[in-house]
Amino acid sequence: MSLRSVLVVPARRAALAVSCAAALASSPLCAGCGAGERASTGGSGALPDDTDVPDTETPTAPDAPGCPAAVSARTTVENARGTLVGTLVVPAGCGPFPAVVIIPGSGPTDRDGNQVAAGIEPDTYRLLAEGLRDRGIASIRYDKAGIGASASAAPGTEQELLFEMGADDAGLWVKKLRADGRFATITVVGHSEGSLLGMLVARETEIDGFVSIAGAGRPIGDVLRDQLEGLPDEDRERANAILDQLEAGELVTDIPQSQVFMSLFRPSVQPFVISWMKHDPAVELAAVTAPILLLQGTTDLQTKVEDAERLAGARPDATLVIVEGMSHTLKEATLSNASQADAYTDPGLPVVPRVFEAIEALIREE
């Protein structure tokens, strides 16, 4: 969920201000590490994050005196490399509750939806979790591998990082919730890059519902070509030739040393790009068997309404919700630079209510 040049160029011409380009420029193994350690800012009705509530998986006994209050607790799972750390939010009441796993977008994104080193701090995922809690829906959100408290869960080098590792990690959280008797259904909510990761999770792990928010509808190679249209002719032709090779599964050694080329195509990130290119979101979505909700904002500078429509075309039975005036951070914004900047940097701006309404409606149907 990165924003690189959005704030310095006209909104409609922000050719490189999209999540995938920024993801490669700021991978979880470099800039932005430590973002997940920032304390939650709280807010109206907010619970303190990571309280000393035990990470229990024991449901409340039927004869317990009353029902528990809402809690926000630190929780962990282990992948093949280390410990992933997240926040489990459980609503007030006795349950069992519907629950969601929030899969984050691209780049060094922490569990709250922030990239502090880049000045991107909308707290989108924290606000999403709190809004769902208030509607009786539990959630897990987590620091990506290599970020914040999940630093140990990343591969040792960037060259070892593969796209599917993100799906494997998300699947661990789904399984954790599934094993917890407090939760009746498990829905995956994937934002931006997390949308495609959620589709891969659904292929390997039982889920009760899938929500794609601002998910790309085209393969990453096509998205990158579209992003790079604004480059000078010679650079654009070179970039397209590199993309052709990567799509063929071939590593490219001769990379121009400019910032754009090294951000997107440096040798150490090419295995990740190649693994990402294997997946067409429309094809992957067609294989999801759970009920599907597709959410897309009209003032999203990183993902287009056409992407959501392409996904809907792959699954005509999915519910497509186009939210007028919603930005990539799920906050209301116009296409002006100032409004978009606020949407990416002001944690006080709320998530658009339509997001909660649509997710709640899907969960009621599961």
Side-chain angles (χ1 to χ4, degrees):
M1 193 172 60
S2 281
L3 180 68
R4 289 283 170 177
S5 53
V6 164
L7 307 185
V8 295
V9 297
R12 291 186 183 276
R13 294 189 290 107
L16 299 180
V18 287
S19 58
C20 52
L24 306 183
S26 300
S27 84
L29 302 185
C30 55
C33 291
E37 299 291 356
R38 188 179 68 83
S40 176
T41 59
S44 176
L47 293 165
D49 197 17
D50 292 354
T51 57
D52 292 330
V53 178
D55 182 19
T56 176
E57 295 186 356
T58 303
T60 304
D63 58 350
C67 292
V71 295
S72 179
R74 182 180 188 274
T75 186
T76 63
V77 292
E78 300 290 325
N79 68 12
R81 296 164 295 280
T83 302
L84 289 160
V85 180
T87 297
L88 172 64
V89 177
V90 182
C94 291
F97 305 99
V100 306
V101 174
I102 300 171
I103 305 180
S106 60
T109 305
D110 69 18
R111 73 186 81 174
D112 288 339
N114 300 331
Q115 295 181 21
V116 177
I120 300 170
E121 301 183 61
D123 272 5
T124 296
Y125 303 152
R126 176 184 65 81
L127 295 170
L128 182 59
E130 290 173 0
L132 292 172
R133 174 203 66 199
D134 294 343
R135 289 162 175 79
I137 301 168
S139 66
I140 278 180
R141 65 188 194 275
Y142 57 95
D143 293 340
K144 294 172 67 172
I147 304 304
S150 298
S152 69
T157 65
E158 184 177 65
Q159 196 148 3
E160 298 173 74
L161 185 66
L162 298 176
F163 185 78
E164 293 83 1
M165 290 179 178
D168 293 341
D169 289 346
L172 294 173
W173 293 113
V174 172
K175 292 174 183 176
K176 184 178 183 71
L177 287 178
R178 185 69 72 187
D180 190 323
R182 291 172 292 177
F183 307 119
T185 61
I186 313 299
T187 298
V188 165
V189 177
H191 176 241
S192 191
E193 179 189 291
S195 168
L196 178 55
L197 292 173
M199 297 173 200
L200 301 185
V201 171
R203 188 172 65 187
E204 302 294 335
T205 308
E206 179 188 359
I207 64 172
D208 298 292
F210 173 65
V211 180
S212 168
I213 307 179
R218 299 166 292 160
I220 189 58
D222 293 347
V223 174
L224 284 170
R225 287 186 179 88
D226 186 49
Q227 293 175 18
L228 298 172
E229 275 296 313
L231 290 178
D233 290 346
E234 184 177 349
D235 287 344
R236 186 178 66 254
E237 291 171 5
R238 178 64 182 134
N240 287 337
I242 292 172
L243 287 169
D244 289 343
Q245 284 187 256
L246 295 175
E247 285 175 330
E250 302 171 3
L251 296 173
V252 184
T253 56
D254 182 19
I255 301 296
Q257 296 299 299
S258 71
Q259 181 180 359
V260 169
F261 279 88
M262 291 306 293
S263 294
L264 295 176
F265 304 125
R266 61 187 178 276
S268 60
V269 83
Q270 289 182 29
F272 180 84
V273 179
I274 290 171
S275 65
W276 194 351
M277 286 176 161
K278 296 177 183 177
H279 304 288
D280 181 336
V283 173
E284 299 293 351
L285 187 68
V288 175
T289 58
I292 297 168
L293 168 65
L294 306 172
L295 275 167
Q296 177 61 46
T298 61
T299 56
D300 185 335
L301 299 183
Q302 298 183 213
T303 311
K304 300 176 180 178
V305 170
E306 289 80 6
D307 285 290
E309 290 172 342
R310 185 174 189 266
L311 292 175
R315 280 298 296 269
D317 60 328
T319 299
L320 173 62
V321 176
I322 305 299
V323 184
E324 189 67 34
M326 186 176 77
S327 69
H328 195 71
T329 61
L330 316 189
K331 301 184 177 191
E332 186 174 346
T334 68
L335 291 174
S336 74
N337 287 347
S339 182
Q340 289 287 328
D342 288 344
Y344 279 83
T345 59
D346 186 352
L349 292 177
V351 167
V352 175
R354 186 72 180 95
V355 172
F356 300 111
E357 295 166 2
I359 293 174
E360 186 176 15
L362 178 77
I363 288 174
R364 283 201 305 265
E365 295 174 359
E366 292 173 2

